[in-house]
Amino acid sequence: MIRLDYVNISNKITSDAGLDIEQKFSEYAPKIQEIITKLNMNKDKPGSFLQWMNLGYNEETVWYVKEFAAMVDGRFDNVLVLGIGGSIFGAKALANALLKPYWNLLSKEQRDNFPKIFFLDNIDPDEIKGLLDVLDLKKTLVNVITKSGSTIETMSQFMVIKDRLYQELGDDYRKNIVATTDKQTGILRQLANEEGYKTFVVPDDVQGRFSVFSAVGLVPLALVGLDIDEIIKGIKIMDLSLKNTDIKLNIAAQNALIHYLLDIEKHKYISVIMPYSSRLKYLGDWYAQLWAESLGKELDREGNKINNGPTPIKALGATDQHSQIQLYNEGKNDKVITFIRVKEFENSVEIPNIFEYTGLNYLGGKTINKLINAEADATAASLTNNNRPNLTITLPKINEYYLAQLFYMFEVEVAILGELYNIDAFNQPGVEQTQNYTYGLMGRLGYEESARELLEKSTAFEEN
Ligand code: PA5
């Protein structure tokens, strides 16, 4: 199992910045027990948005995903994933972590005949044009993912790509599309029905940021040969462990409570996630979105204005030691830093003993593996010396099984945090105003009022 180490929250950190963990665990044990019981009791209740807690048990979806991956095996050189936010971050982070590094630059043989994979998660015209220039769309399977079926960024990407596919393939274009969307509603569902695309369903009561283990994440991952059975195994074992209502045995509850108390009692309202592994680079995007959209809320459940919001920040070790660590060690003491360490890397790279008579001779014969973990230890120690609370999560290895544990643990942690803060972690009203203004600016029917309101506020928009 993955491990959470919180010794640098209590020992060696003074009481103005750290916590007496054992005392807090005892004090909050009944509350945590109540929260975990409630989450598990409500998970099947419609409208509770907790269906993601069942995704480890969705054998039917797993079967269909694997069947589809086997059916298209060998037919495509590329997979192109279209989406934004929760619909794409999870698969992007997992693919980057689990595929061999520089996957798209490897030969077909090196990729065991699996396709290259591209994630388009923005609407930058240069990026889109650049991608179209390098992709042979005839040999590309496009997986468009949107739960609502109408998200402006995803659907505009899709309109561009679909049109190109049609130009290149004529009526056969639909064989190159697989849509992941709501089972009944939304424009993409309607299009899929009318035009005959293969589809997968985003289950009800699963928000995008909690959807990585539904078809949303599993389809792209299976298409490039990743082992989704191992992913499911990882979720299940973690789910079992996180059903434990005893905080002493539940790492999601421990992690949630530590972050919550450091925020409300010690003003550590910034949560930094810092993996020491380039393969985990995009984990930070997924984590930041999970935290920001779930926990950044104006109102609590009773409607009181609280403007809740622990702020997530992503960093990468060792790279950001030469960027952000200066601030973390000496700047405002307002952060909790979570390191993610990998115990055993897939490869070992030895530093050759080539500059024997220089000041570099101490490195010769050591491994890069030892170096990166030494840097993680050194950073944790210096932060601790500077009285900065920090935690470490250790992955035995980077593989499907342990990453599924990690992602699922973070999801449960955020759900528990939502309860501790007494907010709804599963809505995102703060995103909607921007969307409505955009619709107004782009002339969508029904959004004239938003456009008028916006234009009244600033004449600068008229230029658009
Ligand atoms: O977490 C969420 O719910 C959001 O980030 C959505 O995933 C994002 O807005 C995309 O929505 P949709 O899947 O409807 O296109």
Side-chain angles (χ1 to χ4, degrees), residues 1 14 46 60 70 99 108 151 156 173 246 262 280 292 299 354 373 379 389 398 406 421 438 451:
M1 298 288 281
T14 59
E60 203 183 326
L99 292 173
K108 214 168 169 176
T151 300
S156 58
Y173 80 91
D246 180 355
L262 285 173
L280 299 179
L299 305 176
I354 49 172
N373 280 334
T379 308
I398 291 188
L406 180 71
Y421 284 119
T438 311

Side-chain angles (χ1 to χ4, degrees), residues 2-5 255 272-284 286-287 315-318 337-343 345 372-373 376-377 380 390-398 402-403 406-407 409-410 413:
I2 62 169
R3 226 185 57 216
L4 173 71
D5 179 347
N255 209 6
V272 179
I273 189 86
M274 188 165 182
Y276 271 75
S277 155
S278 293
R279 298 177 87 154
L280 299 179
K281 184 174 182 174
Y282 294 113
L283 164 72
W286 176 83
Y287 179 88
L316 183 68
I337 294 109
T338 304
F339 298 110
I340 300 185
R341 283 184 56 146
V342 180
K343 206 165 165 200
F345 286 84
I372 193 165
N373 280 334
D377 287 342
N390 60 90
L391 302 137
T392 297
I393 297 172
T394 304
L395 301 181
K397 286 177 177 187
I398 291 188
Y402 294 122
L403 280 185
L406 180 71
F407 277 57
M409 190 277 287
F410 280 139
E413 179 197 352

